[in-house]
Amino acid sequence: GQSLEQPSEVTAVEGAIVQINCTYQTSGFYGLSWYQQHDGGAPTFLSYNALDGLEETGRFSSFLSRSDSYGYLLLQELQMKDSASYFCAAPYSGGGADGLTFGKGTHLIIQP
Amino acid sequence: KAGVTQTPRYLIKTRGQQVTLSCSPISGHRSVSWYQQTPGQGLQFLFEYFSETQRNKGNFPGRFSGRQFSNSRSEMNVSTLELGDSALYLCASTGGASSYNEQFFGPGTRLTVL
C-alpha cells in the first residue's frame, strides 16, 4: 500500500514563498500529484511528477526525488487566495487503474 | 465542457438506512473513482470503475459498493449506515485508460447520518 506524510499546517506571509513537503512509502510508485482544495470546495489538480526534477506551472512548482521518496510543492508570490489545503497523492495500487492515495493534507494559512 | 456532477449535494439519513449517491463524469471520461473525506481520516479511496468494471478497491467494508453504467455514470451505495459514515463523498473522473496524473472532482455529496 501507499503512505504519504505531509505537515498538517504551514503559515506564510502574502508575497512570500512557501514549500510544502511530502514523503512517501509505496509498494509501487508511478508518480506524485498535488491537489488544492479550498474550504467547501472540491480538490483541483495542480501538478504531476512522473520523473525526478522540477515541474513549473506559473507560480506553482513541484519537485520529485524518487531516490529520497520525497517531493514538494513550491508556491511563489503568495496571494490570499492561495489559502487552502494542499494534498500530495500517489496512485493507489500502481499502474493500470486509477484511484489515488492522498496525504492528510497541509492547511496553508497566509497572513497579510 | 460540463464538469463532474454529483447528486444529491446534501443528504440526511438515520442509522441503519441505506443510501445511493450518483456521479456523472465529464463527457468522454470512462474512469470514475470515489473517495470519502472526513476531518479525521482525510481523503480515502473507495473504489474505481472503468468501462463498467471495478478495477480497484480501497480498504472499506462490504457495506460500501458501487457500479458503473454503460454511459460511464456511476453510483455508490452504502448499506446499514453508521454514524461514522457521515462524510463528504467525492467522485472524480479521468480521461484515457489510466491517467492518474489528473483527476477531475465533482462538488461532492455531504452525507449526515443521525
Side-chain angles (χ1 to χ4, degrees), chain B residues 11-19 63 78-86 111-114:
Chain B
L11 206 50
I12 300 175
K13 293 285 189 178
T14 57
R15 279 181 299 173
Q17 289 187 307
Q18 70 146 17
V19 66
R63 301 185 297 107
V78 188
S79 61
T80 319
L81 283 166
E82 301 176 359
L83 294 179
D85 297 333
S86 294
L111 173 64
T112 301
V113 182
L114 303 176

Side-chain angles (χ1 to χ4, degrees), chain A residues 3-107:
Chain A
S3 172
L4 299 102
E5 298 290 330
Q6 53 183 130
S8 60
E9 188 174 284
V10 171
T11 301
V13 177
E14 190 176 15
I17 299 172
V18 72
Q19 179 174 312
I20 299 173
N21 299 319
C22 175
T23 57
Y24 61 86
Q25 292 182 330
T26 63
S27 56
F29 184 73
Y30 289 82
L32 195 68
S33 300
W34 288 91
Y35 285 79
Q36 178 193 61
Q37 185 178 30
H38 287 97
D39 282 348
T44 56
F45 173 81
L46 291 176
S47 68
Y48 173 66
N49 293 70
L51 303 174
D52 285 2
L54 192 68
E55 295 279 344
E56 298 180 75
T57 309
R59 295 187 297 114
F60 293 4
S61 303
S62 57
F63 172 83
L64 177 65
S65 169
R66 289 172 172 267
S67 58
D68 296 322
S69 297
Y70 163 75
Y72 66 73
L73 179 70
L74 191 73
L75 296 81
Q76 303 181 72
E77 300 172 19
L78 285 171
Q79 302 174 10
M80 297 304 292
K81 68 178 182 179
D82 297 329
S83 294
S85 291
Y86 293 84
F87 298 86
C88 57
Y92 184 78
S93 61
D98 289 319
L100 296 169
T101 294
F102 285 84
K104 289 288 181 70
T106 299
H107 186 207

Side-chain angles (χ1 to χ4, degrees), chain A residues 29-31 33-35 37 40-49 85 87 89-105, chain B residues 9 31 33 35 37 40-45 48 50 55-59 88 90 94-108 110:
Chain A
F29 184 73
Y30 289 82
S33 300
W34 288 91
Y35 285 79
Q37 185 178 30
T44 56
F45 173 81
L46 291 176
S47 68
Y48 173 66
N49 293 70
S85 291
F87 298 86
Y92 184 78
S93 61
D98 289 319
L100 296 169
T101 294
F102 285 84
K104 289 288 181 70
Chain B
R9 293 292 313 277
S31 169
S33 299
Y35 299 87
Q37 187 172 29
Q41 297 300 316
L43 271 160
Q44 292 187 285
F45 172 69
E48 183 255 352
F50 179 82
R55 294 194 301 185
N56 216 346
K57 189 177 190 304
N59 189 26
L88 180 67
L90 293 157
T94 56
S98 176
S99 52
Y100 35 70
N101 54 325
E102 182 169 8
Q103 296 206 333
F104 296 85
F105 282 83
R110 173 75 62 184

